[in-house]
Amino acid sequence: MLPPLLFDPIYKEKIWGGNKLALLLNKDISPQAKIGESWEISGFGNDISRVAEGPLMGTSLNDLFMQHRNELIGEINSFDTFPLLYKFIDAQDQLSVQVHPNDLQAQSNGWGSFGKTECWYVAHAEPGTQMIVGFNSPVSSEEIEESVHKESLPELLNYVDVRQGDVLFIPAGTVHATLKGAVLFEIQETSDTTFRFYDWGRNDPNRPLHITESLGVVDTFFHDRHKIPPVTYNCIKEISCRYRVACRYFSMIEYHFDSSAEYVVPSRKSFQVLTVLDGNPRITSEAGQQYYRKGQNILIPAACNKTVISSESGTRIVNTWVPDLRHDVIEPLQQQDVSNEAIRQLGGNPERNDLNGLI
């Protein structure tokens, strides 16, 4: 049986990157390198994660997927590759204003098998940090196009104040930009299809704009549910458990250890990924036990029958997986008398919310 899996990070230098991933998340990065992204678990393109330790050390995620598909990802077996990509982002300067296509747009235009719905968990934020997500008022495609040509697009955008622990949900089609001062944990579909609307006057030939493509996929529906309010539920008294986001591609639960405790992670139909944001938890499975540190992402194969997290007060972990939304999210929260409206808010955009038809 596959054990819990830890992978070697894949580091990406970016003009807007820095050294916060080393300082805050224990990444082995040269102080001189401007690392913007650390791809923690990836089956995308040529950036394929490899197991970092143990008897499977050096084995690629794609080989594991091909040889142990059901054991690895579980009953969610309609995918041709590992379906999610996990990364940390260090934004020491502002990124471009960009947008991503949805699955249908990507497939019909030859941009890949997946669109790119994503979410950000703010692992660290300097005082006053903001993110751009969506527009600040109702706007038409014609108004967007005009603002692009006049280089006034930032005036239409929605600036969101963020602090550590916030979650922003960014479905495909949502205009967005990571601004400086934040370290983010990002979970997304397995895709790197990105269209730049605006790049703050950088005029870098290696970073072209994609105005036509951006206008073709941007979602103009206006709403104010980009920052997802957490939904608390009862697990065990020593741990605060909160649902953070839920859509067809991924769900997220946050565990905060208020005192020393052991917690049995519920089994799912899907693999699960435990991301350590604070603390040094011990994870025990049929394969044995191992300690992990802040900044590590541990893939728990779907076939693992019992996974136990043991840790001290102050440990913070997020758990993400591909959900059965009714079974994994809606029914457990309804059983604890959480209102349907609170549950629905986990899906963000009220018009294009994956929870709408299930509640």
Side-chain angles (χ1 to χ4, degrees), residues 50-85:
R50 293 188 176 274
V51 178
E53 58 191 26
L56 293 171
M57 182 176 178
T59 305
S60 75
L61 178 60
N62 283 7
D63 284 345
L64 291 172
F65 180 87
M66 296 299 294
Q67 296 167 17
H68 306 277
R69 181 190 183 105
N70 290 341
E71 187 179 346
L72 181 69
I73 71 168
E75 297 180 26
I76 54 155
N77 55 14
S78 60
F79 299 102
D80 295 328
T81 189
F82 192 78
L84 297 176
L85 195 160

Side-chain angles (χ1 to χ4, degrees), residues 139-356:
V139 65
S140 68
S141 298
E142 291 74 20
E143 289 172 310
I144 297 170
E145 184 172 11
E146 181 180 2
S147 74
V148 169
H149 293 308
K150 291 183 176 180
E151 298 191 357
S152 61
L153 180 63
E155 297 174 13
L156 302 182
L157 301 175
N158 179 45
Y159 293 77
V160 181
D161 295 324
V162 298
R163 61 182 182 179
Q164 185 186 68
D166 284 342
V167 170
L168 299 173
F169 181 41
I170 305 164
T174 306
V175 63
H176 61 281
T178 304
L179 302 183
K180 62 182 178 180
V183 173
L184 306 175
F185 166 60
E186 178 176 299
I187 177 175
Q188 58 163 90
E189 292 181 81
T190 294
S191 169
D192 201 31
T193 304
T194 297
F195 299 132
R196 296 187 188 92
F197 249 141
Y198 181 82
D199 202 18
W200 312 102
R202 286 189 175 108
N203 297 318
D204 185 339
N206 296 315
R207 294 169 57 86
L209 299 181
H210 314 94
I211 305 304
T212 300
E213 294 89 345
S214 297
L215 289 169
V217 303
V218 68
D219 185 353
T220 60
F221 178 76
F222 174 74
H223 69 95
D224 61 356
R225 291 190 177 181
H226 305 290
K227 187 185 291 188
I228 305 298
V231 176
T232 300
Y233 72 101
N234 296 321
C235 48
I236 63 174
K237 65 179 181 179
E238 296 88 355
I239 301 177
S240 300
C241 298
R242 303 190 299 173
Y243 279 83
R244 303 309 312 270
V245 72
C247 69
R248 73 185 69 181
Y249 304 109
F250 47 78
S251 288
M252 178 189 292
I253 289 178
E254 180 178 7
Y255 308 130
H256 188 277
F257 284 66
D258 301 315
S259 60
S260 298
E262 288 190 349
Y263 180 65
V264 179
V265 179
S267 297
R268 308 285 185 191
K269 297 178 181 179
S270 156
F271 66 91
Q272 301 179 71
V273 171
L274 302 178
T275 302
V276 183
L277 296 174
D278 280 304
N280 296 97
R282 184 180 74 232
I283 294 178
T284 304
S285 69
E286 297 101 318
Q289 62 181 29
Q290 184 167 341
Y291 284 89
Y292 295 92
R293 66 177 187 270
K294 182 177 181 178
Q296 291 186 316
N297 288 264
I298 306 99
L299 193 159
I300 308 298
C304 283
N305 294 318
K306 186 176 182 180
T307 303
V308 180
I309 305 172
S310 307
S311 203
E312 307 297 320
S313 174
T315 295
R316 185 166 47 116
I317 296 172
V318 293
N319 180 5
T320 49
W321 72 99
V322 179
D324 176 331
L325 286 172
R326 190 184 300 278
H327 180 267
D328 293 343
V329 180
I330 296 169
E331 291 176 357
L333 291 175
Q334 286 177 334
Q335 289 167 7
Q336 296 201 14
D337 296 323
V338 176
S339 71
N340 286 341
E341 178 56 23
I343 298 171
R344 191 176 286 111
Q345 288 190 41
L346 291 168
N349 187 331
E351 182 78 7
R352 299 167 177 82
N353 188 314
D354 290 340
L355 299 167
N356 278 346

Side-chain angles (χ1 to χ4, degrees), residues 11 13 18-19 22 27-35:
Y11 298 125
E13 288 207 51
N19 64 350
K27 300 303 173 185
D28 185 14
I29 297 169
S30 165
Q32 289 75 38
K34 296 181 69 173
I35 300 299

